[in-house]
């Protein structure tokens, strides 16, 4: 099969009677790290294979989504390492601006303090202290899972090197006029007191109110509807569609804005849908993104009526009220003036909330820093269109293009203290200076740095190259950029992936950050429902790892991973995977105790039995299938292929069929022992990337090799034996048919039955001993009476069931089953013979009935054979 180039020691066949993951996993992982198996050498002449970890938040802990994604990446990198690549799985963490600042602020609140009590420098120092003491617990949890990352290269998005990268690219973008400062509408959190990105906004259906308000008087009036009545204080126009005949006489006129002493114009704008509501909309440019755009087109003033805490600032009786208090007060005041035309409550509508503190976000006009994404997004789209970057599965390309082709300028500033501070200084006379990493900031009276920090996605967008030492042209950058593949969830395709694409192409002279984007779905519960604390269905993977072992969790996740599709998972499935790990352990232990070995050359096929040649043929087919599935990121299919090969073909068939050979000893046992050793060696190496711990223990015990982590990946030798596969298929058919017959007769698996096997002249003759042992069939002996005869695969198996079953009762039961099958056949034939039915019925319904007919025919033939095999009562 494949040559293992590791230095080997004499293998031992001693294994504990039971597999205990808790005793094995920790020491094994520590040994791997100490021996440097996961490190990557930039000087190596091996071909590179690079994957970055999607950096988890420093505040985070391992959840099922992490476990899922990390399992897939670890499987890819372990396989590539075994294939001879210089493999780098780059680890690190994100500083997670808002999340981390909130954690530390909560700690301060317990002391009765706020960040303002400490001041900026002392607060940032406190955050660093928290990181050193409490942050990054996820790193230890990744080790529990078995992540084979290059720990010596671990990076943090706020460390010195990455800070230099952030400042460098900011300066470059600024000098290229791709970064600018402007007043725009942004998502604002009144609790966190900062702008937040779209990905940090969670939308949910909330119960609110929809009120319809009459603006103006008499014929010069119209009605607008709103769920945010408090913003009317900032209205600077009412907009209607230019083709709406109802309002043409009002366009260009001024109408009175209720509760104020202002009049506002009626403007015509194509953004308005004349079919929605009354066809007239209030325009509040300072508090709504769509209204802002209308305001820009019609040169409307931007009137802000709320402060950063969402408290009303407009002059009048509502000043000082919280936005929700003001909403009720304003509706009451409008009602008193007879301005409320209609009210609907509760009115359920989608409302954005801050993902960190759950506060309702407020669209707010604010002076912020922006990235002009037009040319960057164009390049990111073209890289996929031109084939430089592949998206897998391909059907996800449309979602990618829908996003990058319609990308708005990106707000990159955040009103926080924790993060990369914007490297811009302002002078006493309005000067603005952007400072690069090797430049001295201006000094002197009146000069000060911008107080904002950068959006976390700005620094994480540099991750594929900043972690390799950019902007320096390091050996690591030359060796490991671009990344081979990015494995990440489709849910951050827009927010993280698109930003990495834009920055990578921009900073690295048109070279994209990765060759392939492999997208996976989200982990859901066993019913397909999203995991959420509010649903009570969130699972801590560490609990499952404690109970069933890390391999079981990994195998369950990999087996559910179809490209781009969500993954349901339940504890029953993890339990089943644990049984699989135990099956591998027990079967390998049995094999080692019965002669399985890797010592010596593999015998020539001419020396092997058909069973030996069959399993080697199936082994090579499995190697080829697994390779193809890996190359197509089909983790579910490769896991299934390995599961069925190991459990079904190796353990349930090959080991069972070979037991008589092993028990007999001699040359046949020696040959089969070497074949079984070869099969286990290759099988364990194939399984290793997905279930690393149990395979490491078993493989080193079997082979005496140093570690399966650095073993050679198996190759398909091309050996196939169609004749042996056909021969063993006949053996399997005989055994399966007799097993089914025994079960139908109510015989216990261990119950021995006298039998006569007529196998002469068939390929089955050489397997009589194995067939008898597996089926518990005794020699016929004296007084043998063939009370049942099963013709199968060109052979006959005659059984003496006298004294084991009630023949009369069995005939009665089978006659009843036969009648039911014949009735089913008649019904199916009746429908399929009805032309009117066939003309109207959908194709899938007709196909289902045809399937029922085929099943009925099969059942009738089987039952008639069973009846014929029974003696007369």
């Amino acid at each position: 099969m494949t040559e293992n180039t590791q230095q080997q020691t004499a293998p031992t066949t001693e294994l504990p009677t039971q597999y205990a993951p808790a005793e094995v996993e920790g020491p094994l992982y520590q040994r791997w790290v100490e021996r440097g198996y996961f490190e990557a050498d930039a000087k190596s002449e091996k071909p590179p294979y690079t994957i970055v970890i999607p950096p988890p938040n420093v505040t985070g802990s391992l959840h099922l989504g992490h476990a899922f994604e990390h399992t897939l990446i670890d499987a890819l990198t372990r396989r590539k390492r075994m294939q001879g690549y210089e493999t780098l799985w780059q680890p690190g963490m994100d500083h997670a601006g808002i999340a981390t600042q909130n954690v530390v602020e909560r700690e301060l609140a317990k002391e009765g303090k706020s960040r303002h009590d400490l001041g900026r420098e002392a607060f940032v120092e406190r955050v660093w202290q928290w990181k050193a003491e409490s942050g990054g617990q996820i790193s230890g949890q990744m080790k529990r899972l078995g992540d084979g990352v290059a720990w010596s290269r671990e990076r943090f998005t706020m460390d010195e090197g990455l800070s230099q990268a952030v400042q460098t690219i900011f300066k470059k973008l600024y000098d290229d006029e791709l970064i600018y400062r402007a007043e725009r509408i942004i998502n604002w959190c009144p609790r966190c007191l900062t702008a937040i990105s779209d990905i940090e906004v969670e939308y949910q259906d909330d119960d609110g109110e929809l009120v319809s308000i009459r603006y103006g008087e008499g014929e010069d009036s119209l009605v607008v509807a709103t769920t945010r009545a408090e913003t009317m204080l900032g209205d600077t126009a009412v907009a209607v569609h230019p083709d709406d005949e109802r309002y043409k006489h009002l366009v260009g006129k001024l109408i009175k804005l209720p509760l104020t002493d202002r009049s506002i114009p009626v403007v015509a704008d194509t953004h308005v849908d004349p079919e929605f509501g009354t066809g007239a909309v209030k325009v509040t440019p300072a508090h709504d993104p769509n209204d802002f755009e209308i305001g820009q087109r019609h040169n409307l003033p931007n009137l802000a009526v709320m402060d950063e805490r969402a408290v009303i600032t407009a002059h009048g009786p509502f000043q000082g009220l919280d936005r929700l208090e003001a909403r009720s007060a304003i509706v009451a005041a409008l009602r008193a003036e007879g301005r409320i035309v209609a009210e609907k409550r509760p009115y359920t509508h989608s409302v954005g909330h801050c993902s960190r503190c759950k506060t309702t976000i407020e669209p707010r006009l604010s002076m912020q820093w922006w990235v002009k994404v037009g040319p960057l997004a164009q390049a990111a789209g073209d890289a996929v269109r031109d084939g430089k970057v592949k998206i897998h599965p391909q059907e996800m390309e449309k979602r990618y293009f829908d996003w990058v082709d319609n990308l708005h300028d990106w707000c990159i500033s955040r009103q926080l203290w924790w993060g990369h501070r914007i490297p811009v200084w302002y002078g006493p006379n309005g000067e603005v200076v952007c400072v690069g990493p090797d430049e001295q900031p201006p000094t002197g009276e009146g000069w000060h740095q911008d107080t904002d920090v950068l959006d976390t996605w700005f620094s994480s967008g540099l991750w594929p190259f900043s972690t390799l030492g950019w902007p320096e042209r390091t050996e690591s950058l030359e060796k490991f950029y671009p990344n081979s593949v990015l494995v990440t969830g489709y849910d951050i395709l827009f927010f993280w992936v698109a930003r990495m694409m834009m920055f990578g192409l921009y900073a690295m002279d048109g070279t994209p950050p990765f060759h392939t984007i492999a997208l996976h779905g989200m982990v859901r519960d066993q019913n397909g429902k999203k995991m959420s604390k509010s649903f009570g269905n969130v699972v801590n993977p560490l609990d499952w790892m404690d109970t069933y072992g890390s391999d079981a969790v990994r195998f369950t996740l990999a087996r559910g991973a179809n490209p781009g599709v969500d993954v349901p998972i339940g504890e029953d499935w993890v339990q089943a995977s644990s049984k699989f790990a135990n099956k591998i352990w027990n079967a390998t232990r049995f094999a080692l105790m019965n002669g399985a070995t890797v010592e010596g050359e593999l015998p020539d096929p001419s020396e092997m039995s058909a069973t030996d040649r069959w399993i080697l043929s199936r082994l090579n087919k499995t190697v080829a299938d697994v390779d193809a599935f890996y190359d197509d990121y089909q983790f579910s299919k490769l896991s299934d292929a390995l599961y069925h090969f190991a459990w079904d073909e190796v353990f349930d068939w090959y080991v069972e069929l070979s037991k008589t050979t092993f028990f007999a000893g001699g040359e046949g046992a020696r040959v089969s022992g070497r074949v079984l050793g070869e099969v286990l060696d290759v099988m364990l190496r194939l399984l290793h990337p997905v279930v690393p711990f149990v395979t490491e223990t078993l493989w080193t015990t079997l082979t005496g090799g140093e570690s399966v982590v650095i073993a050679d990946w198996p190759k398909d030798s091309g050996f196939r034996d169609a004749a042996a596969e056909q021969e063993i298929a006949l053996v399997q058919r005989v055994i399966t048919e007799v097993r089914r017959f025994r079960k139908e007769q109510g015989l216990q698996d261990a119950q021995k039955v006298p039998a006569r096997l007529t196998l002469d002249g068939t390929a089955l003759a050489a397997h009589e001993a194995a067939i008898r042992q597996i089926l518990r069939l005794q020699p016929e002996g004296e007084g043998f009476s063939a009370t049942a005869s099963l013709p199968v695969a060109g052979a006959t198996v005659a059984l003496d069931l006298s004294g084991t079953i009630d023949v009369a009762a069995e005939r009665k039961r089978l006659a009843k089953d036969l009648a039911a099958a014949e009735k089913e056949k008649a019904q199916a034939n009746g429908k399929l013979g009805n032309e009117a039915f066939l003309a109207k019925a959908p194709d899938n319904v007709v196909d289902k009935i045809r399937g029922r007919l085929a099943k009925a025919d099969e059942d009738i033939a089987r039952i008639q054979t069973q009846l014929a095999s029974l003696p007369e009562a």
Side-chain angles (χ1 to χ4, degrees):
M1 288 294 300
T2 58
E3 180 182 354
N4 175 20
T5 58
Q6 295 187 71
Q7 182 179 0
Q8 295 184 342
T9 58
T12 174
T13 58
E14 294 183 6
L15 282 171
T17 56
Q18 291 184 326
Y19 177 49
E23 297 174 10
V24 170
E25 294 175 351
L28 273 187
Y29 189 85
Q30 187 62 32
R31 189 185 313 154
W32 291 335
V33 172
E34 289 172 354
R35 292 179 178 179
Y37 293 155
F38 305 139
E39 295 304 323
D41 182 3
K43 299 181 184 295
S44 169
E45 296 194 5
K46 295 178 183 179
Y49 187 79
T50 315
I51 298 182
V52 294
I53 192 171
N57 287 353
V58 67
T59 59
S61 60
L62 191 75
H63 56 64
L64 268 179
H66 291 131
F68 173 53
E69 186 167 77
H70 291 198
T71 294
L72 305 187
I73 300 175
D74 197 39
L76 290 173
T77 52
R78 284 180 183 268
R79 172 177 176 255
K80 284 297 182 180
R81 188 179 293 112
M82 296 171 75
Q83 286 182 316
Y85 287 79
E86 192 61 33
T87 303
L88 170 60
W89 183 8
Q90 173 66 52
M93 286 182 292
D94 192 281
H95 64 279
I98 294 178
T100 306
Q101 180 158 317
N102 282 349
V103 167
V104 179
E105 284 195 88
R106 284 196 294 268
E107 292 295 317
L108 285 174
K110 295 176 184 177
E111 304 170 14
K113 298 178 182 177
S114 73
R115 60 183 164 116
H116 300 285
D117 294 324
L118 272 66
R120 184 167 193 145
E121 288 188 10
F123 176 77
V124 170
E125 182 59 36
R126 180 70 175 261
V127 179
W128 279 108
Q129 180 184 338
W130 174 86
K131 177 188 179 292
E133 295 173 355
S134 306
Q137 63 173 328
I138 195 171
S139 296
Q141 295 164 348
M142 288 164 56
K143 294 174 183 177
R144 284 280 313 278
L145 188 66
D147 285 6
V149 300
W151 287 112
S152 68
R153 292 172 172 267
E154 186 175 13
R155 304 303 298 269
F156 180 56
T157 51
M158 284 282 286
D159 68 26
E160 184 176 351
L162 270 66
S163 294
Q164 183 182 29
V166 167
Q167 198 169 351
T168 299
I169 202 163
F170 187 99
K171 170 71 171 174
K172 180 174 171 59
L173 288 163
Y174 183 88
D175 289 347
D176 288 345
E177 298 183 349
L178 293 173
I179 280 183
Y180 63 95
R181 193 167 184 245
E183 195 174 42
R184 299 277 181 83
I185 293 284
I186 43 86
N187 300 312
W188 181 265
C189 176
R191 154 62 183 80
C192 298
L193 299 180
T194 181
I196 60 176
S197 66
D198 290 339
I199 197 172
E200 292 164 323
V201 178
E202 292 180 348
Y203 287 90
Q204 65 185 46
D205 288 340
D206 286 356
D207 285 341
E209 61 181 358
L210 180 68
V211 294
S212 298
I213 310 168
R214 181 170 51 83
Y215 284 22
E217 304 294 342
E219 292 184 357
D220 290 346
S221 69
L222 37 69
V223 175
V224 300
T226 181
T227 59
R228 302 168 67 220
E230 68 279 8
T231 63
M232 67 162 292
L233 300 176
D235 286 358
T236 55
V238 172
V240 298
H241 193 276
D243 297 332
D244 195 330
E245 294 292 337
R246 294 171 295 177
Y247 304 117
K248 279 196 171 181
H249 68 288
L250 290 176
V251 173
K253 290 187 176 181
L254 295 175
I255 60 171
K256 183 74 178 350
L257 178 65
L259 305 183
T260 72
D261 57 0
R262 293 190 294 116
S263 293
I264 57 177
V266 177
V267 299
D269 196 281
T270 55
H271 171 76
V272 180
D273 180 1
E275 303 299 323
F276 183 78
T278 63
V281 296
K282 59 192 288 297
V283 182
T284 321
H287 293 280
D288 184 274
N290 292 322
D291 292 4
F292 178 79
E293 297 297 330
I294 294 174
Q296 292 291 100
R297 287 193 288 272
H298 297 277
N299 199 29
L300 299 175
N302 301 316
L303 182 59
V305 295
M306 275 182 264
D307 67 12
E308 61 183 8
R309 298 183 185 275
V311 172
I312 300 298
T313 58
H315 295 296
F318 311 109
Q319 186 175 5
L321 294 180
D322 172 81
R323 57 182 165 168
L324 298 182
E325 296 172 333
R327 182 177 301 170
S328 298
I330 287 170
V331 170
L334 289 168
R335 191 183 300 114
E337 288 191 4
R339 293 283 178 178
I340 300 296
V341 176
E343 297 180 67
K344 184 177 181 181
R345 61 171 65 87
Y347 177 73
T348 303
H349 61 131
S350 182
V351 177
H353 296 261
C354 174
S355 63
R356 304 301 177 190
C357 67
K358 311 308 176 187
T359 302
T360 300
I361 64 105
E362 188 66 41
R364 184 170 189 253
L365 187 64
S366 179
M367 182 67 74
Q368 302 285 344
W369 285 94
W370 304 80
V371 172
K372 187 183 295 181
V373 299
L376 303 175
Q378 177 70 41
D382 289 346
V384 175
R385 289 188 180 92
D386 298 344
K388 291 182 181 178
V389 179
K390 305 289 186 185
I391 293 181
H392 187 86
Q394 190 174 1
E395 55 264 28
M396 286 286 183
E397 283 187 3
K398 183 180 184 301
R399 297 180 67 175
Y400 177 79
F401 292 135
D402 285 347
W403 179 259
V404 297
D405 292 347
N406 298 284
L407 207 55
H408 297 294
D409 285 0
W410 171 21
C411 176
I412 56 172
S413 46
R414 299 291 180 266
Q415 290 63 55
L416 304 171
W417 287 358
W418 173 246
H420 293 282
R421 195 163 173 182
I422 288 176
V424 171
W425 270 255
Y426 304 104
N429 299 312
E431 302 96 332
V432 179
V433 177
C434 181
V435 177
D438 300 321
E439 300 172 348
Q440 290 296 322
T443 57
E445 186 176 351
W447 283 93
H448 64 280
Q449 187 177 358
D450 196 299
T451 57
D452 288 353
V453 300
L454 287 164
D455 177 12
T456 298
W457 296 101
F458 191 94
S459 51
S460 61
L462 313 180
W463 193 246
F465 52 92
S466 64
T467 52
L468 298 173
W470 187 89
E472 301 298 325
R473 283 284 173 179
T474 64
E475 286 183 320
S476 290
L477 188 67
E478 295 294 335
K479 177 74 174 179
F480 296 112
Y481 186 92
N483 289 191
S484 306
V485 61
L486 174 74
V487 179
T488 192
Y490 64 70
D491 55 320
I492 57 172
L493 174 63
F494 317 130
F495 305 104
W496 188 44
V497 179
R499 281 153 174 68
M500 285 190 291
M501 286 284 283
M502 291 190 296
F503 280 166
L505 290 160
Y506 174 74
M508 299 301 293
D509 302 321
T511 301
F514 17 74
H515 298 301
T516 301
I517 301 168
L519 298 171
H520 59 72
M522 299 171 63
V523 179
R524 296 181 178 270
D525 71 13
Q526 60 190 9
N527 299 313
K529 193 173 184 179
K530 181 180 178 181
M531 288 192 175
S532 167
K533 290 180 181 179
S534 60
F535 296 152
N537 62 350
V538 174
V539 173
N540 183 348
L542 298 171
D543 293 340
W544 281 351
M545 289 156 68
D546 289 341
T547 304
Y548 303 108
S550 298
D551 283 337
V553 174
R554 290 170 62 114
F555 192 73
T556 304
L557 291 165
R559 203 172 179 193
N562 289 300
V565 179
D566 289 345
V567 182
I569 185 172
E571 187 167 3
D572 289 350
W573 305 337
V574 183
Q575 190 174 24
S577 295
S578 175
K579 290 179 180 177
F580 178 54
N582 287 325
K583 180 74 171 180
I584 299 170
W585 181 275
N586 293 332
T588 303
R589 183 171 179 271
F590 170 85
L592 288 169
M593 292 171 62
N594 287 275
T597 180
V598 296
E599 294 181 355
E601 294 294 324
L602 195 64
D604 189 83
S606 62
E607 302 176 51
M608 299 178 188
S609 68
T611 309
D612 294 332
R613 297 194 306 275
W614 165 75
I615 196 62
L616 289 177
S617 184
R618 297 302 304 153
L619 176 65
N620 277 283
K621 174 66 164 55
T622 301
V623 171
D625 288 346
V626 169
D627 273 333
F629 291 142
Y630 261 117
D631 292 342
D632 199 33
Y633 304 100
Q634 297 280 359
F635 296 97
S636 177
K637 290 182 178 179
L638 73 89
S639 299
D640 260 352
L642 288 169
Y643 176 89
H644 289 297
F645 175 73
W647 195 306
D648 300 344
E649 297 187 308
V650 178
F651 303 143
D652 280 0
W653 283 112
Y654 180 74
V655 169
E656 292 300 317
L657 288 170
S658 301
K659 279 182 178 178
T660 53
T661 302
F662 288 130
F663 295 161
E667 182 63 13
R670 184 194 70 79
V671 171
S672 291
R674 181 63 187 88
V675 169
L676 180 53
E678 180 76 7
V679 170
L680 291 176
D681 172 18
V682 174
M683 183 193 76
L684 291 170
R685 282 186 276 154
L686 288 174
L687 280 164
H688 172 72
V690 181
V691 284
F693 294 108
V694 67
T695 51
E696 171 80 340
T697 304
L698 295 175
W699 187 86
T700 53
T701 302
L702 170 70
T703 67
E706 180 185 335
S707 173
V708 70
V709 175
I710 53 172
D712 292 332
W713 181 252
K715 295 179 181 177
D716 176 10
S717 70
F719 177 79
R720 301 287 192 279
D721 193 322
E725 293 205 32
Q726 290 173 359
E727 184 172 325
I728 299 305
L730 291 176
V731 176
Q732 292 172 323
R733 183 178 167 192
V734 170
I735 292 172
T736 301
E737 288 294 325
V738 176
R739 274 178 171 164
R740 182 163 59 187
F741 180 78
R742 287 177 58 113
K743 185 176 182 180
E744 289 168 346
Q745 306 308 314
L747 298 178
Q748 298 299 315
D749 291 341
Q751 188 172 351
K752 296 180 178 179
V753 178
R756 177 188 299 137
L757 275 60
T758 306
L759 308 176
D760 294 342
T762 72
L764 297 167
H767 303 279
E768 180 171 350
I771 292 171
R772 283 187 176 277
Q773 176 162 326
I774 292 172
L775 292 172
R776 305 293 193 270
L777 301 180
Q778 294 178 314
E780 49 194 276
E782 290 186 16
F784 177 82
S785 174
T787 58
S789 182
L790 299 176
V792 56
T796 302
V797 179
L799 305 172
D800 184 354
L801 302 178
S802 58
T804 62
I805 62 171
D806 182 336
V807 175
E810 186 61 20
R811 279 189 171 279
K812 184 177 180 180
R813 183 184 71 80
L814 289 172
K816 182 178 179 181
D817 290 347
L818 181 61
E822 288 174 337
K823 181 179 179 181
E824 175 74 4
K825 178 178 180 178
Q827 290 176 342
N829 273 328
K831 289 187 176 180
L832 294 173
N834 185 335
E835 294 297 333
F837 171 78
L838 293 176
K840 295 180 180 178
D843 290 345
N844 65 317
V845 173
V846 175
D847 288 342
K848 187 175 181 180
I849 294 172
R850 287 183 178 136
R852 285 169 49 193
L853 176 60
K855 178 67 166 52
D857 282 335
E858 182 183 322
D859 289 343
I860 289 169
R862 176 178 54 81
I863 296 168
Q864 287 175 338
T865 299
Q866 290 176 239
L867 282 167
S869 70
L870 289 175
E872 294 299 324

